Amino acid sequence: MAPMSRYLTPQKISLLVLVKLYCTSQLPSSCTIPVLSFILTHSQTLPPVLSVARAQPSHDSSYYVSFPISAFEEVLQGHAFSMPGRTLLDVFLEHMWKLNSFDALHSLFDSIGGLLAGGDEDGEHDANPDRIILSRTSPLGSFVRRARLEFTRLQFVSALKLWTSFIQYRAPTAQWTRRIAGLAAIGVDAVAADIGLQQGDALYEVAYGHLAEEEDTDQSLSVDDFDRLLDFQLDQLQRLGCRVPEEMRTQLRDMLGPSGVVLRQSHLVQFFDAWKAGDYTSAFDNLHRYYDYAMQTRDKIHYQYALLHMAILQADFGCFGEAVAAINDTISTARENQDMVCLNFALSWLNHMSKAYPKQMKGVGYMGMLGTERDGLTFLKTKAREAKMWNLLSATLLNEAKLCLSTGDSVTRAFEFMYQASHLNIRENINNNGSVMLLTSTIYSRLGITHLSDAYCHLLLLVYNDTSPIDERIRATCRLAFNEVQTGQYDKGLARIESIDQSAHGVLKFRQYIFFSTGLIKLKRAIRHTDWSACESYLTSLKPDIATDPELSFLLQSTHIEYLIARSLFSEAFNTIEDLSTSLKEEGADILHRVTLLLLKADMFRKLGTPERGFSVALRAASVAYKSKLIPQLWIALGLLCNILNGLGEFGEAMRLLEAIVPQSMLVEDNHLTGILYSHLSDSLIGLAGQDDISTSHGTRARSTHLSNAEMYIDRARDCFKKVEDIEGECEQLVKRAIVAKLRGDEQLSEEWAQNHNKVWEEGRARIEGGK
Amino acid sequence: MGSLSHADEVQLKAQLQDAVGACTERCLYQSAKWAAELLNSFPSSDDDGSDTDADSPMSDRMPQTPGNRSTKDAIETRLEARELPKFLLAKTYFDAREFDRCAAVFLPGPLPKGSVHLGSSPATKAKQPLKGKAKVGTPSKQKLPAEGMPGLSQKALFLSLYARYIAGEKRMNEDSEMILGPQDGGITVNKELPGLSAILEQWFEGLPGSGRHGQGWLEYLYGIVLTKGKNEKLAIDYFVRSVHLYPYNWGAWQELSSLLGSVEELHEIAGKLPQNIMAFIFHVTASQELFQSTDQVHNTLGQIMSIFPASAFLKTQQALLHYHQKDFDEAEQIFSNLLVSDPHRIDSLDQYSNILYVMSMRPKLAFLAQLASTTDRFRPETCCVVGNYYSLKSEHEKAVMYFRRALTLDRNFLSAWTLMGHEFVEMKNTHAAIESYRRAVDVNRKDYRAWYGLGQTYEMLEMHSYALFYYQRAAALRPYDPKMWMAVGQCFAQIGKYGNGIKAYKRALVAGSYYDAGVGSSFGSGEGSGLGGGILDPDVLYQIALLYERMGDVRQCASYMEMVIAQEEGEGLEGFEEEVGNGVGVTMTTSRARMWLARWEYDRGMYQRAMELANEMCQDGMEVEDAKALVRDIRARIEREKGDARGD
């Protein structure tokens, strides 16, 4: 098998024929645009950005590289030529079949030079004003020039190979129209026809006999096309972090395999693929292989990139020690080679890692290169500005915004940084919008405006779906799912997560993320269902490890505590909380996490029946949450405080507080929270009713008003709990109703509520049984 | 020898069969191929019939064939029988391209050191063969290995020495530098030659006394060795001996023909050759290579072809003869048919490509290149075809690349050297061109194109007297090619030897008329008039006229100018054949001649004639401005004369 041609393919020759036709004969103006856009799409002279924007997702990328001859038919069939009764296709095919010998092919390439401006000095083209002269730098002009250059560089044998594959490529058109049938009847080669050769003659067989055998179209791809294909794959892999789809992989293998061409990029593609597949050893193997080959052709300049890749790879597989060593090497090499881009990127990455995995990084002896985190970010920001690395600058700004949030600084500052980054993205056309959207969504969810948070997630998924990394897409989807879970739509949330593209499952990291998210939702539901055996089985499989996403791992831990509290395993819960809070303090963790822990602690005391003990905790949580605008946490804390006030008999104050916050808390769209708040409100009302003096008529009236209000809130709370399928909460409200009915003296009604309670409880039990 | 009797044909077949076997045994693959091809080119109708009765003569063919006469030689037979296992071993080694190992089977140990200066010093070339022989023979210590040699059959000895020779050639190629690289002087020599020469020398010295008879093979090998040593006279002797002893070894004939530098030498040697079919074929081939396409050669070829109607080799010779005769269409046709009948044959396709090149048939040349390169990319012929194609497309760099590749494949591939020279000339790289041509000439001194190219290159360098030498060589090789003589004449003119120049141009006229008439009959008619033959080249006539003018012989000049004009209508051909009767028409040259004549007539006062000529020029539309000016002048003069006359 002869090696693949470098650039020229039969398709490109056909395009050249079309270009020549376009330039030399007067095409009707109606077909100018379709013809030109067809040529441009296929000649690949456009910059990649544009072609990406234009590419329809339904088309495989290789479609553009190797397209069948029928593609010409589709475009050209519909247009009439200036000569009546002839379509453009006829003319085109006529030109195609005029290439009737190997020499004619050479002549074609000789003649296309004349299409270029200044191609022939003798001013010959002035003779025909209808002719279109291509500027040398126009897309068509550069296509023509490139084709000519490549043809000149061809060895005779390669040119011959090109010719035969062109014959093959053209062959199906012979039957298309009657007009070219005459031309085609001469056969593929006029010279052979002159000698009087027929198919089957010995001489003919020598020249063209192999045509019949070579059915495969390995020539329809040139090395250049393949380069582009692999570059596209790499771009996808790097930008989106996905894997090469299975069908694409087999296709690539089929194309590469027989040709015997080994392209460097193919190693890189394999490296990324193996990495994302979690195949640590092959990833390393391929990384080394790629850079070994890259060294051979380029300079040693790329050594730091090899190290950088290695560091990222190591960290990805949880080998932080090796990763830190590699990144240190990267930094020193980059410094040595004056590669600011690489250096800054390495520093930024290091900064990110120490933020994301502080414990692990400290564990391997990383002490921080740039002093405090804030200093580090400022440093990176200036560096990025100096080196005009807008990408890095944008990422750093987002990091700064995140830092603001996590330390509980003012939210406005965070917004400021974020808008700066967003502005930069637009101005410099940086594809960093996914992160901005996610961060905005995070900020809004911290501010307790859930629908805005949702909106940004939707925005990311709708608008930037094609251009943002899979990672961000998955995060957005999971966040949406969690928000749905808050309102009790477990199934919808699960379905949403399940709807994530299957291709994401190919990457180990994403797979784990999805797995944990699904598990988390199921665990939450099981806790609400009080299905302890299910909880236990979930919990065993949901043990976060080192490499788990830190965000998710905290969620898992807090849910674990929730489970312990719900199951009344208080001492265990207490120990876990204490452990976690110390480790969080060490890490300097996100303020949100610490507040959440405080709230859990306070909740535990409530559950324990001694809410007063959690007073200081809840108060602290409330003040911190208020200061750093963690609104949902603030409502929870206030709810706990009200509960404490209720416990202390300060019903009036509790009621006033609750009435103030309940409407606002609705914004959070957390039904469980709302249920709890309603329940507390009803408690306060009942407490007030208890304080009412029933001896006076006024007191009696007030009590009954309080009671009916309480009943109303109980019902509301019950609805909320029912929505989130919190069986305990629901039953509690039913019990409250029964008690209130009893208090009213309506024994029968009380009995009814009690039975109702039993029924619900039984149903809950049955649900658990049925679930198993 | 028109047609062979049936018995003769059967015998010839048997001999050819035998030759294939004998050549294959000795690993002379090309000769074997040649013989086998010939064996298969008898008329096909006879094949069916001879199938049955082929056996009877086959049985008694042994005593008849001359090749087997020596096999009958009792000593050789005995020796061959004894060493058969070893011979088979050696043969397999040779086939596996392990030449040194093959040689060592019969001749272990190093060869005796012969005189290294045997051939490489140019002095020996001029010396008497006997002297060269004596020089080799002098060292006495070399007698030692010779003692063991009678124990070897000639066949074994041939194979081992031939293997040695091939091994030496291989090493020589490996040692050679890149083609036309800085170190590539073409002087790398086969280091085995002196040793081989010494052994063979001894062997032949001892032959008369040993009671053994030569079989032709060792003679052939010795001839090769002598040729490489530039000891050509002796080499010819040995080749003649070889073909006498065994005529069916085509290699020997080929070597012999490559040693012939001129027709005279061919005629001289013809008498010494055996009279058989091989000699006829040789004669035709040698004549072809010496560009002798006379009727006699054609006739001989025709007769041979009646015996071997299907022989591609003979057809090629025929086509080449036509080519030398500038009958391109015919040559092209023959080659084209050859291509159809034997599509995988690459031999002498480079010649075909030359023909197509001259005919500017680009598509066909491309097709040919396609064909050749599908069959075998790494044959020098293929590379030449491709190179020619690129040359025709004016892509000279690529052409050079392919010629260079051809030469890397075979350093002695003559046409590639010449063609590469042409390319270098096109690329204005005169030094490289000269070197290429020189190498071509060194490979084969009969290549007139290379000589001509050398002359042309030196002319480009304005070294006319130097170029003259080369043109003369070229003209000597192709006495009937007007182009050569024109070049010679031009050079003479440039260096101021007008008389010689005129002579050369007249030769060109004669040669031109010879070719144009298609027959040699008109050759030799008076040089002075030059009108004896068919149409004459007006350019040449014009040049002659100019030279006469420079010599101050205006009268002669004028007569030649008249002749130039005469060619327009082909006036000189009255009574000659119709088809050649049409003239060249009005050309630049004839117009110039007419202009000159008009001026001349004007100068000597023949205004009427001058007027006529000038008017003709106006009609022809050439140099109208000048002609009109002249007409005006003439009118003025005529008017004035009339006025004068009236005044008188």
Side-chain angles (χ1 to χ4, degrees), chain A residues 103 106 152 155-157, chain B residues 362 370 377 389 398 402 405:
Chain A
D103 184 55
H106 279 90
T152 318
Q155 291 248 327
F156 184 79
V157 177
Chain B
R362 248 174 74 174
Q370 177 182 0
R377 272 197 258 166
Y389 176 63
K398 273 186 167 181
Y402 276 92
R405 184 181 286 181

Side-chain angles (χ1 to χ4, degrees), chain A residues 7-64:
Chain A
Y7 177 79
L8 287 168
T9 54
Q11 287 90 340
K12 294 214 173 75
I13 298 178
S14 313
L15 282 175
L16 280 174
V17 171
L18 193 56
V19 169
K20 199 180 162 198
L21 186 66
Y22 166 74
C23 288
T24 50
S25 55
Q26 256 183 317
L27 297 192
S29 51
S30 65
C31 60
T32 305
I33 287 172
V35 166
L36 277 186
S37 58
F38 178 75
I39 294 174
L40 284 183
T41 329
H42 292 292
S43 63
Q44 299 169 329
T45 46
L46 289 180
V49 184
L50 269 174
S51 55
V52 164
R54 199 176 283 190
Q56 293 107 339
S58 63
H59 280 148
D60 200 3
S61 61
S62 67
Y63 172 83
Y64 281 95

Side-chain angles (χ1 to χ4, degrees), chain A residues 346-521:
Chain A
L347 290 174
S348 152
W349 182 79
L350 200 51
N351 189 54
H352 160 76
M353 286 310 281
S354 63
K355 185 86 182 38
Y357 302 99
K359 219 183 325 175
Q360 291 88 332
M361 293 297 274
K362 280 218 181 78
V364 297
Y366 170 70
M367 298 313 289
M369 278 247 164
L370 307 165
T372 67
E373 203 176 344
R374 203 169 287 273
D375 289 348
L377 285 176
T378 327
F379 172 77
L380 280 176
K381 234 162 52 176
T382 36
K383 280 286 160 197
R385 243 182 225 122
E386 272 172 19
K388 296 217 183 328
M389 293 171 63
W390 305 122
N391 222 326
L392 181 66
L393 185 57
S394 157
T396 313
L397 283 169
L398 287 186
N399 274 336
E400 210 160 7
K402 272 182 206 155
L403 184 67
C404 268
L405 290 180
S406 72
T407 50
D409 268 357
S410 96
V411 181
T412 45
R413 279 191 66 101
F415 266 116
E416 193 187 318
F417 286 131
M418 205 190 59
Y419 285 133
Q420 276 180 19
S422 189
H423 172 69
L424 208 58
N425 288 350
I426 292 164
R427 202 184 62 188
E428 305 290 339
N429 191 18
I430 301 166
N431 187 16
N432 203 7
N433 297 305
S435 328
V436 174
M437 293 291 148
L438 264 186
L439 186 63
T440 321
S441 151
T442 311
I443 295 179
Y444 280 120
S445 90
R446 277 172 177 246
L447 289 177
I449 313 176
T450 309
H451 69 270
L452 269 181
S453 164
D454 275 2
Y456 276 96
C457 284
H458 280 303
L459 212 58
L460 168 65
L461 289 177
L462 283 176
V463 182
Y464 297 108
N465 197 19
D466 287 338
T467 53
S468 32
I470 292 194
D471 177 44
E472 283 169 7
R473 268 139 67 184
I474 292 177
R475 273 170 205 277
T477 316
C478 287
R479 176 162 300 154
L480 281 175
F482 285 139
N483 285 344
E484 271 157 2
V485 167
Q486 275 190 359
T487 57
Q489 295 160 296
Y490 297 101
D491 289 327
K492 203 173 163 192
L494 285 175
R496 185 181 287 282
I497 291 181
E498 235 159 62
S499 72
I500 291 174
D501 190 14
Q502 274 301 314
S503 66
H505 289 274
V507 183
L508 180 68
K509 245 183 139 182
F510 301 155
R511 197 187 162 75
Q512 278 175 343
Y513 194 95
I514 293 168
F515 173 74
F516 280 132
S517 303
T518 321
L520 200 61
I521 293 174

Side-chain angles (χ1 to χ4, degrees), chain B residues 464-482:
Chain B
H464 299 289
S465 56
Y466 209 78
L468 186 60
F469 168 75
Y470 298 105
Y471 282 140
Q472 279 172 331
R473 296 295 294 258
L477 281 164
R478 269 177 82 87
Y480 302 120
D481 194 336

Side-chain angles (χ1 to χ4, degrees), chain A residues 87-384:
Chain A
T87 63
L88 199 51
L89 183 68
D90 292 335
V91 184
F92 170 69
L93 288 180
E94 195 186 313
H95 275 78
M96 287 282 278
W97 282 93
K98 268 186 192 162
L99 291 175
N100 55 9
S101 69
F102 186 38
D103 184 55
L105 184 68
H106 279 90
S107 307
L108 171 74
F109 278 96
D110 288 343
S111 66
I112 51 169
L115 303 176
L116 297 170
D120 37 1
E121 282 83 22
D122 43 338
E124 184 192 301
H125 39 242
D126 297 330
N128 188 353
D130 293 334
R131 263 188 45 179
I132 296 169
I133 296 157
L134 300 173
S135 152
R136 300 182 82 82
T137 45
S138 67
L140 277 187
S142 62
F143 172 57
V144 167
R145 280 193 303 145
R146 174 95 202 260
R148 276 189 73 199
L149 175 71
E150 294 287 347
F151 190 77
T152 318
R153 287 173 58 164
L154 280 189
Q155 291 248 327
F156 184 79
V157 177
S158 325
L160 196 58
K161 183 98 178 133
L162 184 66
W163 165 239
T164 46
S165 58
F166 175 70
I167 290 179
Q168 250 176 320
Y169 184 70
R170 186 181 60 177
T173 60
Q175 279 87 40
W176 280 1
T177 62
R178 193 174 43 79
R179 270 197 200 85
I180 62 157
L183 275 170
I186 302 172
V188 287
D189 196 325
V191 179
D194 275 352
I195 309 179
L197 291 182
Q198 296 284 319
Q199 199 151 5
D201 281 356
L203 184 59
Y204 186 89
E205 289 302 310
V206 172
Y208 292 110
H210 52 278
L211 278 186
E213 296 151 30
E214 281 175 28
E215 286 298 316
D216 55 339
T217 52
D218 63 315
Q219 267 294 307
S220 57
L221 273 180
S222 62
V223 172
D224 182 72
D225 294 334
F226 219 84
D227 262 352
R228 284 165 186 280
L229 210 59
L230 286 179
D231 280 348
F232 175 76
Q233 296 292 338
L234 274 185
D235 183 58
Q236 292 286 309
L237 285 172
Q238 273 183 311
R239 209 153 42 86
L240 308 183
C242 60
R243 291 188 64 190
V244 183
E246 192 58 45
E247 54 186 303
M248 194 62 214
R249 196 142 19 128
T250 44
Q251 221 174 338
L252 280 177
R253 204 180 297 128
D254 287 350
M255 285 190 283
L256 262 184
S259 66
V261 179
V262 180
L263 293 168
R264 257 179 291 119
Q265 287 97 319
S266 69
H267 298 307
L268 201 55
V269 170
Q270 277 170 352
F271 155 66
F272 276 110
D273 197 47
W275 172 10
K276 298 298 173 191
D279 187 349
Y280 183 76
T281 41
S282 348
F284 263 95
D285 205 29
N286 281 311
L287 179 66
H288 281 292
R289 185 171 296 148
Y290 171 71
Y291 279 103
D292 287 348
Y293 283 119
M295 298 291 176
Q296 171 202 321
T297 46
R298 297 173 204 179
D299 287 328
K300 221 185 165 189
I301 293 169
H302 290 258
Y303 187 51
Q304 63 264 32
Y305 288 101
L307 284 168
L308 184 63
H309 273 109
M310 191 136 88
I312 298 173
L313 180 66
Q314 297 277 23
D316 230 39
F317 284 101
C319 309
F320 292 97
E322 288 86 342
V324 168
I327 201 76
N328 284 338
D329 263 4
T330 312
I331 289 168
S332 56
T333 318
R335 249 185 212 142
E336 208 174 285
N337 294 341
Q338 309 269 310
D339 188 346
M340 290 315 285
V341 178
C342 182
L343 180 62
N344 290 341
F345 187 82
L347 290 174
S348 152
W349 182 79
L350 200 51
N351 189 54
H352 160 76
M353 286 310 281
S354 63
K355 185 86 182 38
Y357 302 99
K359 219 183 325 175
Q360 291 88 332
M361 293 297 274
K362 280 218 181 78
V364 297
Y366 170 70
M367 298 313 289
M369 278 247 164
L370 307 165
T372 67
E373 203 176 344
R374 203 169 287 273
D375 289 348
L377 285 176
T378 327
F379 172 77
L380 280 176
K381 234 162 52 176
T382 36
K383 280 286 160 197

Side-chain angles (χ1 to χ4, degrees), chain B residues 295 514-515 517-524:
Chain B
D295 278 354
Y514 165 76
Y515 275 117
V519 256
S521 57
S522 67
F523 164 66

Side-chain angles (χ1 to χ4, degrees), chain A residues 546-755:
Chain A
I546 273 186
T548 317
D549 189 76
E551 194 86 11
L552 214 52
S553 93
F554 176 77
L555 272 180
L556 284 170
Q557 279 162 333
S558 63
T559 316
H560 183 214
I561 295 167
E562 252 178 62
Y563 156 75
L564 292 175
I565 295 169
R567 215 182 165 182
S568 314
L569 299 170
F570 296 115
S571 58
E572 209 175 314
F574 185 78
N575 289 337
T576 319
I577 290 172
E578 286 300 303
D579 288 349
L580 194 55
S581 69
T582 38
S583 85
L584 284 181
K585 201 175 275 166
E586 272 171 19
E587 291 167 18
D590 192 345
I591 197 93
L592 173 72
H593 296 174
R594 283 147 86 177
V595 172
T596 311
L597 266 192
L598 288 177
L599 292 174
L600 280 173
K601 202 170 181 181
D603 192 49
M604 185 184 72
F605 287 125
R606 177 185 72 88
K607 200 83 195 304
L608 212 55
T610 52
E612 306 80 12
R613 283 167 68 184
F615 180 72
S616 65
V617 179
L619 199 61
R620 207 163 75 216
S623 82
V624 171
Y626 181 67
K627 250 196 281 181
S628 41
K629 299 280 184 292
L630 297 172
I631 305 302
Q633 277 67 32
L634 179 63
W635 304 148
I636 297 174
L638 289 179
L640 285 167
L641 272 178
C642 292
N643 188 36
I644 292 165
L645 287 177
N646 281 339
L648 293 175
E650 299 287 345
F651 302 115
E653 274 63 43
M655 191 191 73
R656 268 176 42 219
L657 195 55
L658 282 168
E659 277 179 341
I661 66 167
V662 164
Q664 294 186 56
S665 79
M666 302 284 219
L667 263 182
V668 184
E669 294 177 34
D670 183 347
N671 278 329
H672 196 247
L673 172 65
T674 321
I676 288 173
L677 290 180
Y678 274 131
S679 150
H680 289 326
L681 191 56
S682 65
D683 285 353
S684 310
L685 284 170
I686 292 171
L688 281 177
Q691 282 173 344
D692 284 332
D693 188 4
I694 47 164
S695 50
T696 59
S697 62
H698 175 73
T700 323
R701 218 178 301 126
R703 171 179 273 188
S704 79
T705 327
H706 280 140
L707 278 180
S708 56
N709 276 348
E711 272 175 345
M712 181 182 79
Y713 288 129
I714 288 170
D715 280 348
R716 283 193 187 168
R718 190 166 68 98
D719 278 350
C720 288
F721 285 129
K722 194 172 178 150
K723 268 188 196 146
V724 296
E725 300 178 20
D726 186 346
I727 190 158
E728 280 209 335
E730 199 181 342
C731 289
E732 196 189 322
Q733 304 314 313
L734 288 170
V735 170
K736 277 192 200 160
R737 276 306 287 263
I739 291 169
V740 172
K742 203 168 189 179
L743 201 71
R744 289 234 173 124
D746 195 342
E747 284 292 336
Q748 202 184 346
L749 193 65
S750 165
E751 188 63 25
E752 242 172 59
W753 281 118
Q755 266 172 12

